[in-house]
Amino acid sequence: MSASDRRVREVFIELSDTLVDDFDIIEFLDRLAARCSELLGVSACGILLADHHGVLSLVAASSEQARLVELGQLQNLEGPCMDAFSTGRPVQVGDLRDARTRWPRFAATAVGAGYLSVQALPMRLRDSVLGAVNLFSRSTGELDAETVRLGQALADAATIGIVHQRALARKEVVTEQLQSALNSRILIEQAKGFLSHGLGVDVDEAFAMMRSYARAHNRRLTEVADEIVQGTLTLSRSRD
Amino acid sequence: MDHDRSARVWGAIRAASGGNGAAPSLAYAVSACAQALSAAGAGLAMARDDGLLEPVLATGPEIGELDELQFELGEGPSRDAVVTSTPVLEPDLTGLEAGRRWPAFAAAAADRGIRGVFALPVAAGAAKVGVLTVYRRVPGPLAGDLLADALVFADAVFVLALDHRQGISADLDEVIEAAFTARRAEVHQAAGRLAAQQQISVTDALARLRAHAYSSGISLHKVAVDVMSDHLRLDGDRPLGKGPPRITPRPAHPEQAEKEEEED
């Protein structure tokens, strides 16, 4: 279940190396979500941020499945993420089948997608909460205390990414960064839709193609998305 | 979902529009925003078809001049907000940082007694409509809820501007309903798909999705889901602003008469 200390160190070094000037926040959070599910031994990890309407949106995930987006959106009605966000405390559900009265729609959708347990960790910054990290497992059971501590450290790393390493960032700066991350995500959704038509692929595949292109050419994901919707960059289907 | 904040903001716009009945307009939204934030005034600059920004609305001549000045000088918070697609929140123009960032603009605005400038993009991803700029005489940040309120005003201006493009003046309740769903992933995916299908901008695609939702009475979210699954194609053979586009429903699964499921 738990990762080796060495691997944990490697991941934190990798993440801090990513936090250079002008880094792409979505790319950073995406990488963090992938490392989260690896280190914590969970099946999927989603990172949700709250906007000025108090609405949570999925901005990054370990696997870009439409189901995870749907689960994120559902949580504006009910679910562990909304609870973690509103209370600022972690929420653990060892067996989602027992949570059908607590969150009828969320539990049914999550179980339908093959997830049996879920943890939500708040993204805290001083006295406010910016969002939450959602951990889904295909097996039942709660995470042990040590794994939750590591998860919270990773959630804090996500928060640091958003405030741009400025530990004492003013509220304005935090708002600016948060808005920037949410807006980048909207741009990525638009580019996914744009590609889905041009290449005849579904949105999950469209995202994968965008990300591979960005990584292969060492480009920022957000810039690639922008060029796709402006029509200045055309991706072609790889035939492998 | 903080319905209270949205309700408060749209309520202020409704009040500025002269109470019930009148369709909310951009000008009223901008003046309601200035009033709600105890500002000296607010201005709106919008992107023209060639992408250049021009100031189009201001709560008074002095504010209009400040908006113009930013674009003449080629520097200022509004321009930066547009370029970065990120709010630029400057609590004090007489501070060092502001002086370094916008030397000419900061000095000129401070001369006119303006201390705080808050520039909010009127945009969603690639759909860049313009920028809403709030000017205050009192230095200091937008305290408490005011910052979030300002962002909600910018959202309100965004949807009003989109609807204005399509020549729609919907009643306020419809606008609010569509504003809530506007942030959902599927809506933006559908805007991207429609832009690619019809070779139009994402802004126009988003405006068309909203227009179709109004004219058909189907929720914006459902329209988006139908566009993504090719159950609905919005034909783009009509010029903009001439009423809703023609609709060609393509019942891929006629037996599947889907029930509306709104989650907002």
Side-chain angles (χ1 to χ4, degrees), chain B residues 222 225-226 229 231 253-261:
Chain B
K222 178 75 167 68
V225 170
D226 287 349
S229 59
H231 289 180
H253 307 287
E255 75 285 355
Q256 197 182 24
E258 281 180 281
K259 271 261 167 279
E260 271 288 314
E261 274 214 60

Side-chain angles (χ1 to χ4, degrees), chain B:
Chain B
M1 173 89 216
D2 187 352
H3 288 284
D4 291 354
R5 188 183 310 282
S6 276
R8 200 168 60 233
V9 163
W10 285 103
I13 295 171
R14 187 197 294 262
S17 312
N20 297 329
S25 79
L26 282 170
Y28 291 127
V30 173
S31 59
C33 173
Q35 201 173 5
L37 303 177
S38 317
L44 176 67
M46 286 171 83
R48 299 190 313 211
D49 285 341
D50 59 7
L52 284 174
L53 275 172
E54 57 180 354
V56 292
L57 272 176
T59 50
E62 187 194 31
I63 298 300
E65 276 171 33
L66 284 164
D67 255 8
E68 296 276 0
L69 188 65
Q70 288 198 58
F71 297 101
E72 276 165 31
L73 294 168
E75 69 172 47
S78 309
R79 196 172 160 276
D80 288 2
V82 171
V83 171
T84 60
S85 292
T86 304
V88 175
L89 311 167
E90 181 46 69
D92 192 355
L93 284 171
T94 62
L96 273 178
E97 204 181 331
R100 263 202 302 267
R101 205 165 162 186
W102 316 293
F105 171 76
D111 279 351
R112 290 173 162 86
I114 296 297
R115 295 289 294 275
V117 179
F118 304 89
L120 312 160
V122 177
K128 297 181 180 183
V129 168
V131 57
L132 173 67
T133 311
V134 178
Y135 298 89
R136 294 177 97 209
R137 297 196 189 283
V138 188
L142 290 171
D145 274 347
L146 288 186
L147 179 51
D149 286 356
L151 294 165
V152 176
F153 271 107
D155 282 348
V157 168
F158 179 67
V159 298
L160 289 172
L162 285 181
D163 295 349
H164 184 70
R165 266 173 113 85
Q166 291 278 326
I168 293 171
S169 56
D171 104 9
L172 204 54
D173 295 335
E174 284 181 310
V175 176
I176 294 170
E177 192 280 326
F180 282 158
T181 47
R183 284 181 306 282
R184 301 179 62 149
E186 293 93 342
V187 173
H188 291 294
Q189 289 168 8
R193 191 171 175 90
L194 196 58
Q197 273 171 357
Q198 303 192 356
Q199 302 185 324
I200 54 177
S201 70
V202 176
T203 311
D204 284 334
L206 209 45
R208 274 191 200 177
L209 290 172
R210 293 177 60 84
H212 182 64
Y214 287 135
S215 63
S216 63
I218 301 169
S219 79
L220 181 61
H221 178 238
K222 178 75 167 68
V223 170
V225 170
D226 287 349
V227 165
M228 287 313 290
S229 59
D230 272 343
H231 289 180
L232 173 69
R233 286 189 83 96
L234 301 176
D235 284 346
D237 55 0
R238 301 179 61 143
L240 282 178
K242 295 269 165 49
R246 227 162 21 107
I247 309 306
T248 324
R250 300 205 316 182
H253 307 287
E255 75 285 355
Q256 197 182 24
E258 281 180 281
K259 271 261 167 279
E260 271 288 314
E261 274 214 60
E262 256 314 316
E263 291 153 6
D264 291 284

Side-chain angles (χ1 to χ4, degrees), chain A residues 28-180:
Chain A
F28 171 79
L29 294 175
D30 234 48
R31 196 176 288 265
L32 190 135
R35 298 295 173 265
C36 244
S37 54
E38 175 204 341
L39 292 184
L40 307 173
V42 296
S43 313
C45 166
I47 298 175
L48 291 94
L49 293 178
D51 69 7
H52 44 286
H53 296 268
V55 170
L56 291 166
S57 341
L58 186 83
V59 290
S62 57
S63 61
E64 278 287 332
Q65 292 169 319
R67 296 310 292 269
L68 273 178
V69 175
E70 186 191 357
L71 281 166
Q73 291 182 344
L74 256 183
Q75 298 212 42
N76 286 304
L77 295 174
E78 57 177 51
C81 245
M82 190 39 108
D83 290 5
F85 171 67
S86 48
T87 62
R89 290 205 170 83
V91 176
Q92 287 240 48
V93 185
D95 193 338
L96 274 169
R97 291 167 300 188
D98 302 336
R100 285 183 181 149
T101 40
R102 192 171 170 193
W103 308 306
R105 292 185 69 177
F106 172 80
T109 310
V111 171
Y115 300 120
L116 291 181
S117 61
V118 62
Q119 278 72 31
L121 304 167
M123 290 170 66
R124 289 182 303 236
L125 180 70
R126 294 188 294 272
D127 54 353
S128 60
V129 187
L130 304 185
V133 173
N134 228 348
L135 308 167
F136 292 96
S137 293
R138 296 199 181 280
S139 52
T140 55
E142 296 197 352
L143 300 178
D144 61 55
E146 198 182 332
T147 308
V148 172
R149 263 203 304 279
L150 176 56
Q152 192 60 59
L154 287 160
D156 293 345
T159 307
I160 289 166
I162 288 160
V163 302
H164 250 338
Q165 295 174 281
R166 289 189 246 184
L168 295 170
R170 291 177 297 129
K171 184 177 146 195
E172 289 84 18
V173 175
V174 175
T175 302
E176 289 168 11
Q177 298 300 338
L178 206 51
Q179 289 292 318
S180 178

Side-chain angles (χ1 to χ4, degrees), chain A residues 205-225:
Chain A
E205 204 176 332
F207 182 86
M209 291 174 68
M210 244 188 317
R211 189 167 60 186
S212 319
Y213 179 90
R215 287 185 180 170
H217 295 80
N218 209 1
R219 302 274 320 273
R220 295 166 49 127
L221 187 60
T222 315
E223 279 170 11
V224 169

